[in-house]
Amino acid sequence: MPPTRLATLLGRAVRQQRHLRDLTQSQLAEAAGITQAAVARIESGSRAASFPVLERLFAAMDVQMVVEVEPLDAHLDARIDELAARPIAERIDALSLDETLDRLTDFPQVLTGSTAALLQGAPVPVDAVEIALRWHDSKRFTRWLEANYGQRWNARWGEFGGVWLEPEEPGEHRWSTRYGEIRATMCDELPETIEVRHGGRDYRVVPLVELELTEPRAAELLRRYRARQLAVEG
């Protein structure tokens, strides 16, 4: 089964609190008395943790859960507002984007999806590094995944692992790695890009106008962001 919205939100909260404290998944797992693999599944939203486990995780970080009821999708609007107030550099660091790109050097790729939108100033939620790469480079990508503890998303089980790594095999192009989650758009040729610069680093990204035509998930988030802007200005 696909991850539920609640599992995704709780996983994101665990991951954010862990990053704020500069803890690794292994360190948090040891403090909470569970396995690192369980923490990884919870943070990805692929596993719905029980409330006792969540309480132990948050207690290990000196915080606690507060349950509230809100209008449907209000959390997404609040998230967009929160991201709009955060510097782009901070959001890049939270995604561990530079660390991932420093290691993705075995084959050419460009940033796409919500990651590309982030780098162009759009305050849209990003929970994985999204890249476009060529089918021609799929074998090199597979070797990179093997060297970096890659596990492919298993839609049937609702978690990472248990399926072939290779992009050529059927399934979502979504992998967990030692550097975080990577989602890939496989293509015959890399899309046209523009270059943006942040913190002294250049990034090759798919332009926003192209994202809105080719990336449904990113396009929906961008439309929601613009609707938020109009509502605020109105």
Side-chain angles (χ1 to χ4, degrees):
M1 293 180 60
T4 65
R5 175 181 296 173
L6 181 59
T8 300
L9 290 173
L10 289 170
R12 182 183 300 139
V14 171
R15 184 172 65 250
Q16 288 174 341
Q17 292 298 320
R18 179 174 63 79
H19 284 166
L20 286 173
R21 289 157 180 79
D22 291 325
L23 294 172
T24 66
Q25 288 183 341
S26 296
Q27 289 170 330
L28 177 57
E30 183 177 357
I34 62 176
T35 66
Q36 182 273 330
V39 172
R41 289 194 293 269
I42 290 168
E43 288 190 353
S44 71
S46 61
R47 171 183 171 180
S50 66
F51 283 111
V53 168
L54 285 168
E55 287 178 337
R56 296 209 315 265
L57 284 168
F58 287 124
M61 296 183 286
D62 295 322
V63 292
Q64 64 183 9
M65 291 187 297
V66 177
V67 178
E68 296 180 350
V69 177
E70 62 182 17
L72 193 63
D73 283 338
H75 71 282
L76 187 53
D77 291 334
R79 178 74 173 143
I80 289 173
D81 291 343
E82 174 204 342
L83 292 171
R86 292 177 63 188
I88 290 179
E90 183 180 314
R91 296 169 59 201
I92 290 173
D93 288 343
L95 190 59
S96 298
L97 178 59
D98 289 347
E99 182 182 14
T100 302
L101 293 178
D102 285 343
R103 288 158 176 82
L104 279 172
T105 56
D106 296 346
F107 45 86
Q109 85 287 145
V110 299
L111 294 166
T112 188
S114 298
T115 306
L118 179 163
L119 290 165
Q120 293 170 82
V124 295
V126 185
D127 51 15
V129 174
E130 297 176 65
I131 61 173
L133 61 94
R134 301 177 302 174
W135 283 109
H136 176 76
D137 297 312
S138 62
K139 293 191 186 311
R140 283 193 284 174
F141 181 46
T142 300
R143 288 196 294 270
W144 185 91
L145 290 168
E146 290 170 344
N148 291 284
Y149 309 112
Q151 290 187 305
R152 193 172 186 181
W153 178 251
N154 187 326
R156 180 180 179 184
W157 295 351
E159 62 183 30
F160 290 100
V163 291
W164 296 104
L165 277 178
E166 293 85 348
E168 294 89 345
E169 295 293 329
E172 292 185 50
H173 295 142
R174 176 182 174 189
W175 295 264
S176 68
T177 75
R178 66 190 303 176
Y179 306 113
E181 185 176 337
I182 293 177
R183 296 177 187 167
T185 299
M186 306 300 299
C187 47
D188 293 328
E189 295 296 335
L190 293 177
E192 294 294 324
T193 63
I194 59 174
E195 205 168 79
V196 296
R197 188 173 182 84
H198 295 287
R201 179 168 188 149
D202 295 322
Y203 302 88
R204 293 176 61 206
V205 303
V206 176
L208 286 178
V209 64
E210 186 67 22
L211 292 175
E212 294 193 76
L213 294 174
T214 61
E215 297 277 353
R217 181 172 178 271
E220 177 56 34
L221 289 170
L222 287 168
R223 283 193 292 270
R224 193 175 192 93
Y225 164 54
R226 293 195 177 108
R228 284 295 286 166
Q229 283 186 309
L230 290 173
V232 171
E233 292 170 359

